[in-house]
Amino acid sequence: MKTFLKKYKHAWVFLYGLIYLPWFFYLEQHVTTKFHVIHTPLDDKIPFIEYFIVPYMLWFAFIAVTIGYFFFCNTNEFYRLCLFLFTGMTIFLIVSTLYPNGQLLRPDTFARENIFVDMVRTLYATDTPTNILPSIHVYNSLGAYIAISHNQKLRENTLIHYGSLALTVLIILSTMFLKQHSVIDVLLAGAMGAVMYVLVYMREPSKVTKVAEQTV
């Protein structure tokens, strides 16, 4: 156990969950009726397609597996990934706190009845349509793909490289086709991802790792 703790001492980064989770659940419980509605005319033109629930739910495994891989296989890249993810997640919490937001896009009825619609109903019942700006589903998917594409071993594996890219695109689309997010949420998540990419992945790796160790 002592050897394990010494080898994986960077596990302290996961303490961020003690900040993120209570803050997030507080927002979920208190931002329920009074919020700024996020909406664009383009949102109304995007159809509801229940089959996108599959990539939407795969997001959880995608993020967990990606973080787990770098945690066990590459400490420096693990720090970079977490710096990317956790910085964006903190910005999301701050935005949601200062600018309570939500959407009214979810359908009241469904044209079809199938297992995918049932899964969407379960999602709607457990996840409020508030605190959506920017989309963490989109942002973290971009972060996971960027980390994968910057790792030489994973990048050279065609299945992993292009498979993760395809999954990232499907997850981004799923947020809109399931009426979980507005186009604005997606665009702002992409913009935030672009800025963080420059700050985290276009700097000297050693400098980024040092910053991550001090701030994550």
Side-chain angles (χ1 to χ4, degrees):
M1 178 61 71
K2 185 176 181 180
T3 302
F4 178 87
L5 292 176
K6 184 177 181 180
K7 182 177 181 180
Y8 298 110
K9 59 183 179 181
H10 49 289
W12 70 269
V13 170
F14 294 125
L15 292 174
Y16 174 74
L18 299 179
I19 298 174
Y20 181 82
L21 291 176
W23 194 345
F24 175 77
F25 286 121
Y26 172 84
L27 292 172
E28 285 288 278
Q29 293 173 3
H30 290 81
V31 180
T32 56
T33 55
K34 296 181 179 181
F35 55 80
H36 298 85
V37 177
I38 308 301
H39 177 265
T40 69
L42 182 56
D43 294 323
D44 300 326
K45 297 182 182 300
I46 299 175
F48 170 83
I49 302 177
E50 69 270 22
Y51 306 113
F52 275 96
I53 189 66
V54 176
Y56 188 89
M57 298 307 294
L58 285 176
W59 175 85
F60 296 95
F62 181 41
I63 302 304
V65 170
T66 303
I67 292 176
Y69 174 83
F70 287 108
F71 175 78
F72 289 107
C73 299
N74 193 310
T75 302
N76 288 335
E77 294 188 29
F78 168 76
Y79 275 126
R80 297 179 83 179
L81 173 60
C82 288
L83 179 62
F84 184 102
L85 298 182
F86 297 169
T87 299
M89 291 162 67
T90 302
I91 292 174
F92 156 77
L93 291 173
I94 294 173
V95 170
S96 295
T97 300
L98 300 179
Y99 183 75
N101 57 84
Q103 51 94 344
L104 303 174
L105 301 171
R106 292 177 174 180
D108 295 322
T109 59
F110 300 94
R112 295 172 294 276
E113 289 295 333
N114 52 50
I115 188 173
F116 303 104
V117 169
D118 291 339
M119 293 171 66
V120 173
R121 285 197 179 98
T122 300
L123 173 65
Y124 285 179
T126 57
D127 183 27
T128 69
T130 57
N131 310 309
I132 60 173
L133 183 73
S135 169
I136 291 301
H137 246 68
V138 171
Y139 178 80
N140 281 5
S141 296
L142 292 172
Y145 172 70
I146 289 171
I148 291 171
S149 65
H150 271 261
N151 179 272
Q152 184 175 355
K153 182 178 180 180
L154 296 180
R155 184 173 62 247
E156 292 177 349
N157 186 310
T158 302
L159 180 61
I160 293 177
H161 186 196
Y162 290 104
S164 62
L165 174 59
L167 180 57
T168 297
V169 172
L170 287 172
I171 289 172
I172 292 173
L173 292 175
S174 75
T175 64
M176 294 177 285
F177 283 110
L178 291 180
K179 302 301 180 178
Q180 281 289 91
H181 284 279
S182 165
V183 172
I184 294 177
D185 308 326
V186 173
L187 293 177
L188 287 182
M192 185 166 69
V195 172
M196 288 305 300
Y197 172 76
V198 173
L199 296 176
V200 176
Y201 284 93
M202 294 188 70
R203 298 175 62 188
E204 187 69 29
S206 59
K207 294 181 179 180
V208 173
T209 300
K210 184 176 181 180
V211 171
E213 291 174 339
Q214 295 174 346
T215 62
V216 173

